[in-house]
Amino acid sequence: MQRVTIRNFLLIAILTVAFGLGLRMCTHRREPVSEPPAASLPADTDLSLQDIQYTETSGGVRRWSLSAKTAAYDAEQGESSVRDMRLVFFDKEGREQAVLTAEQGSWFSEKGVIEARNRVVVKTTQGYTLRTELLDYHSETHEITTDRTVHVDAGGMKLSARGMRYGIDDRALNLTSQVKAVFAGGIGN
């Protein structure tokens, strides 16, 4: 008699817990995913994305990869406005060559141009660090350019110039005008 009573008690306890869990699951409501209000997007936005990742390839080899916190696409202008962007450049063999970060940017996909703005920093695998406020990446020539003031830290040498071109494939840095250089420790040390 005691075995039947303990068995019945355990069966009732298990059924009660199972019923309670089932009821909780059925009545539990999911929190809706918060979406940014439409009012915060530009009026001409046709598509808005968050946490994007896009990689451009040529012949199966990565050429560049863009990641951004947000992107808003305007179909009429053919422009994607991005925020908190990170752009990684690769050479002809697909090896990473440089990483660009910026607060804002615009990607003109039909022109093959990405414009980076506000606190633009480029770090190359050769050890260069470039800083400027505006620069463009041209996918056709696979180079970054600016006509603005740029500051370059190349180890023991600091450069500043007005305008520059950096070729991703040939790793050549050309400073255009008003070039100034400071060598740490002087020349020949």
Side-chain angles (χ1 to χ4, degrees):
M1 187 78 161
Q2 275 186 331
R3 283 187 179 175
V4 172
T5 306
I6 292 173
R7 188 181 311 171
N8 289 344
F9 176 74
L10 288 175
L11 181 61
I12 291 171
I14 290 171
L15 288 175
T16 303
V17 169
F19 178 74
L21 287 174
L23 185 62
R24 173 75 175 138
M25 287 174 44
C26 290
T27 60
H28 179 70
R29 294 185 185 183
R30 290 180 162 240
E31 292 294 320
V33 176
S34 63
E35 296 181 20
S40 68
L41 296 173
D44 52 359
T45 298
D46 296 304
L47 176 67
S48 176
L49 301 170
Q50 292 183 329
D51 298 321
I52 68 153
Q53 177 75 36
Y54 176 84
T55 300
E56 180 91 5
T57 62
S58 176
V61 177
R62 296 179 300 182
R63 298 302 280 161
W64 56 270
S65 180
L66 170 69
S67 55
K69 189 171 184 175
T70 63
Y73 179 67
D74 177 358
E76 186 175 318
Q77 299 296 319
E79 175 185 358
S80 297
S81 298
V82 296
R83 193 171 51 104
D84 295 331
M85 66 185 288
R86 182 175 191 268
L87 191 55
V88 180
F89 302 103
F90 304 93
D91 67 10
K92 292 177 185 177
E93 286 78 38
R95 294 180 302 233
E96 185 176 309
Q97 293 301 308
V99 176
L100 176 153
T101 56
E103 290 179 352
Q104 296 177 328
S106 295
W107 175 20
F108 302 93
S109 55
E110 291 186 23
K111 295 178 187 176
V113 174
I114 298 175
E115 178 184 276
R117 298 182 302 279
N118 301 336
R119 296 186 186 174
V120 180
V121 177
V122 179
K123 293 187 179 194
T124 71
T125 56
Q126 299 156 286
Y128 298 138
T129 300
L130 300 97
R131 297 182 196 295
T132 189
E133 285 301 309
L134 176 73
L135 67 73
D136 294 330
Y137 165 70
H138 307 270
S139 63
E140 187 174 313
T141 59
H142 205 43
E143 63 185 23
I144 54 177
T145 63
T146 186
D147 60 357
R148 304 285 176 97
T149 299
V150 61
H151 301 280
V152 181
D153 184 351
M157 180 174 48
K158 294 194 184 299
L159 304 164
S160 67
R162 180 86 177 169
M164 67 111 218
R165 173 206 166 273
Y166 178 76
I168 305 297
D169 291 328
D170 63 7
R171 300 179 193 145
L173 174 65
N174 296 313
L175 301 173
T176 310
S177 66
Q178 301 174 8
V179 179
K180 296 178 185 175
V182 175
F183 298 91
I187 296 177
N189 291 334

